[in-house]
Amino acid sequence: MALSGYDRGVRGERVDAVLQHMRERGGRITTALRAVVEVLDATDDHLTAQDIGAAVQAAHPAIHVSTVYRALDRLSEAGMVSHLHVGHAPVVYHLGQDDHHGHLVCGRCGAVLDVPATVMRPVATQVARDYGFTVEPSHLALGGLCSGCAVAGPTDARPSHTHG
Amino acid sequence: MALSGYDRGVRGERVDAVLQHMRERGGRITTALRAVVEVLDATDDHLTAQDIGAAVQAAHPAIHVSTVYRALDRLSEAGMVSHLHVGHAPVVYHLGQDDHHGHLVCGRCGAVLDVPATVMRPVATQVARDYGFTVEPSHLALGGLCSGCAVAGPTDARPSHTHG
DNA sequence: TTGTCTGCAAACAATTTGCACGGTA
DNA sequence: TACCGTGCAAATTGTTTGCAGACAA
């Protein structure tokens, strides 16, 4: 899912770029950190911490989920990873600061589609004017049904716990 | 917070209307159910289950939080109550099916502002056309900063756990 | 009377944290 | 070598569930 409608950089190269950035920031490049970044880089999906943990452990069984959380924290602070709250499901993470896009979250299958921030701009402008509310495109999520699920009927925004 | 920009019906009358609806639906009108509805009716705020539990227990100490959850479930199924996921904070509930409005969620103070669905319509239309995605206005939340918090600087959408 | 709801406690899932140790710089 | 980052286990938080009893209809 999470079919990116636009370019997000060349896969693989991104891993090095991110790690380089983390290094310059004074952080240490550990096995866990690298593994997390690689997992995130290897997919267009928006992954939960558990998803990432499982993927990381496939290669490095000793790496604990709590370490994944801490790596994600570190990456978030550095602005290299963003998170998104999708309904009642766990938080999903993805590579890159997403200042430049919003999200469409399917309430049925849990898919997350990225949309350029430009789509959101009109609403952002209007609520700024009418409510004094500053929309942060990065933390923007529109609930609804993706094209695949729309044919299956309405939703209660209560998808099964697994997503994707 | 949650300054309703439009009318939501006369307070108090709503309680009876909701309970009446529940009765007609075949449900039983218990002390807990009535208390939950009254709490929701008494505020424009969007309350967490814990908030509601506390308020309910002020009048009826014996009523358990799990009962509040079950009452909210019942009310949700009946379409009398809607819930909203705000960032990493707990789910908030409010009276009325909110098919007709969206939400602005402040990432700093946790305030939830209601906005008429019309504001969201342009985006809804555009993503429907471009992505085949059907936006459900009820499950729509724009993250950002409310007017009060905007002056205090940017956010990480990581407010303190308590909100309001 | 009867079956829905409730109270309680325990289960659960996601995430965080304290502490001593290990590995990166 | 000096710390940052890690592993583990335990604590937290929000929410759900099983069960026996209570109460609305």
Side-chain angles (χ1 to χ4, degrees):
Chain A
M1 314 295 169
L3 310 161
S4 225
Y6 55 98
D7 194 73
R8 13 168 66 172
V10 178
R11 193 141 297 167
E13 279 181 21
R14 260 205 309 179
V15 174
D16 292 333
V18 168
L19 293 179
Q20 178 61 24
H21 184 95
M22 294 305 286
R23 193 176 346 247
E24 283 164 5
R25 227 171 162 267
R28 290 178 184 181
I29 310 308
T30 62
T31 311
L33 185 71
R34 164 170 274 120
V36 166
V37 174
E38 282 171 352
V39 166
L40 286 172
D41 180 61
T43 180
D44 279 329
D45 247 326
H46 293 63
L47 304 176
T48 68
Q50 311 285 337
D51 290 339
I52 299 168
V56 161
Q57 282 166 6
H60 311 274
I63 292 179
H64 201 270
V65 203
S66 69
T67 302
V68 171
Y69 278 104
R70 287 191 267 223
L72 289 169
D73 272 357
R74 218 142 55 88
L75 289 163
S76 296
E77 274 169 35
M80 307 309 290
V81 157
S82 310
H83 62 270
L84 178 71
H85 303 270
V86 302
H88 73 297
V91 171
V92 291
Y93 299 85
H94 60 104
L95 220 46
Q97 67 286 313
D98 49 6
D99 296 342
H100 54 298
H101 73 277
H103 298 96
L104 306 178
V105 180
C106 179
R108 182 173 292 272
C109 72
V112 178
L113 308 193
D114 295 341
V115 300
T118 50
V119 174
M120 309 303 183
R121 198 148 302 154
V123 213
T125 306
Q126 183 167 356
V127 298
R129 167 162 41 77
D130 295 350
Y131 301 87
F133 189 92
T134 313
V135 171
E136 294 196 1
S138 45
H139 297 110
L140 183 156
L142 304 184
L145 293 176
C146 70
S147 50
C149 292
V151 299
T155 178
D156 184 47
R158 205 86 186 214
S160 61
H161 254 160
T162 55
H163 74 97
Chain B
M1 321 290 168
L3 310 162
S4 218
Y6 55 96
D7 194 76
R8 9 169 69 172
V10 178
R11 193 142 296 166
E13 276 180 22
R14 261 202 309 177
V15 174
D16 291 334
V18 169
L19 294 180
Q20 179 61 22
H21 185 96
M22 294 306 286
R23 192 174 350 244
E24 282 163 7
R25 226 167 163 270
R28 292 179 182 179
I29 310 308
T30 62
T31 311
L33 185 72
R34 164 169 275 120
V36 167
V37 174
E38 281 172 352
V39 166
L40 286 172
D41 180 61
T43 181
D44 279 329
D45 247 326
H46 294 64
L47 304 176
T48 68
Q50 312 283 339
D51 290 340
I52 299 170
V56 161
Q57 283 167 5
H60 311 274
I63 292 178
H64 202 270
V65 202
S66 69
T67 302
V68 171
Y69 278 104
R70 287 191 268 223
L72 289 169
D73 273 356
R74 219 143 52 88
L75 289 163
S76 296
E77 274 169 34
M80 307 308 291
V81 157
S82 310
H83 62 269
L84 178 71
H85 303 269
V86 301
H88 72 299
V91 171
V92 291
Y93 299 85
H94 60 104
L95 219 47
Q97 65 286 311
D98 50 7
D99 296 341
H100 54 300
H101 73 276
H103 298 97
L104 305 178
V105 181
C106 179
R108 182 173 290 271
C109 72
V112 179
L113 309 192
D114 295 341
V115 299
T118 50
V119 173
M120 310 299 183
R121 199 147 301 152
V123 214
T125 307
Q126 182 167 357
V127 299
R129 169 164 38 80
D130 295 350
Y131 301 88
F133 188 92
T134 311
V135 171
E136 295 196 357
S138 46
H139 296 109
L140 181 157
L142 303 186
L145 292 177
C146 70
S147 50
C149 291
V151 298
T155 180
D156 185 47
R158 206 87 188 214
S160 60
H161 253 158
T162 56
H163 75 95

